[in-house]
Structures are given as C-alpha cells and as structure tokens.
Amino acid sequence: MLLVASLVRRDGRVPIHYVHQYTPYAPLEMRHARNGTGEPLTYRERQVLTLLAKGMDGPAIAGELGLSPETVRSYTQGARAKLGAGTRTEAVALALTRGEIAI
C-alpha cells in the first residue's frame, strides 16, 4: 500500500495508469462465478478463441475461417459474455484454464 500511496500527487490525484497498474483483480475463477452466464461455448466461439490463443488477430481469423471481421468480433463478444471475461485475453485464459480450448 505504501507503493500506491507514494504515487499520489500533491493535489491528491493518482495518475490513471498507476491506478490500473496496481488495482487488485479477483482470480479468474471468481470472476466467472460472478459474471459468466454459464452457457457452453459454441463450436465457432471455441474456434475463434483457439486462433486468438495462437496469436492471430481479428482480421486474420476472419480470413482463416471465411467470416467477416464483424462476425469474428461477435463470436468473441459472445464467448467473453459466457465466460465472464472483461477482455479477449482473459477469455482465452479462462477457456484454456477450463479446458474449453487447447493450443
């Protein structure tokens, strides 16, 4: 806590990048229990997450699967909602942890 307190400016404000850097996050399992819908991922959602885990970006995934980038974004958002993930990276981590996908 001293480290964070030392980042406070004289006027009492903390630069936003420091706030995000030191904000504690709940473990992934707790986030899922709190936010996820619990629905199983579809085949396409698992495909998209697997390609994300392999380092591909949205347009590359769209080309690989023959989809539009907007469709890939939609699958990613659906998977994030089902897993209770805040980001694509977190969705991949959760899916890997739970055995939903493998790389």
Side-chain angles (χ1 to χ4, degrees):
M1 195 54 125
L2 294 174
L3 180 63
V4 175
S6 67
L7 300 174
V8 177
R9 294 180 181 165
R10 289 184 186 145
D11 60 0
R13 296 183 303 160
V14 178
I16 192 69
H17 61 279
Y18 288 123
V19 171
H20 290 293
Q21 185 176 358
Y22 296 105
T23 301
Y25 294 98
L28 295 178
E29 295 79 17
M30 290 178 63
R31 288 193 65 159
H32 174 68
R34 191 173 54 219
N35 297 326
T37 64
E39 296 176 48
L41 296 176
T42 65
Y43 175 73
R44 279 292 201 198
E45 288 168 342
R46 287 194 310 274
Q47 271 188 314
V48 169
L49 288 178
T50 299
L51 294 175
L52 282 171
K54 292 181 178 180
M56 296 177 77
D57 62 359
I61 293 170
E64 177 79 18
L65 299 178
L67 304 171
S68 73
E70 291 78 23
T71 303
V72 170
R73 191 174 305 117
S74 176
Y75 283 127
T76 305
Q77 289 173 346
R80 284 177 47 207
K82 289 176 183 179
L83 294 168
T87 64
R88 295 183 330 168
T89 304
E90 186 180 3
V92 168
L94 283 166
L96 284 167
T97 301
R98 296 188 186 137
E100 296 269 1
I101 63 170
I103 50 174

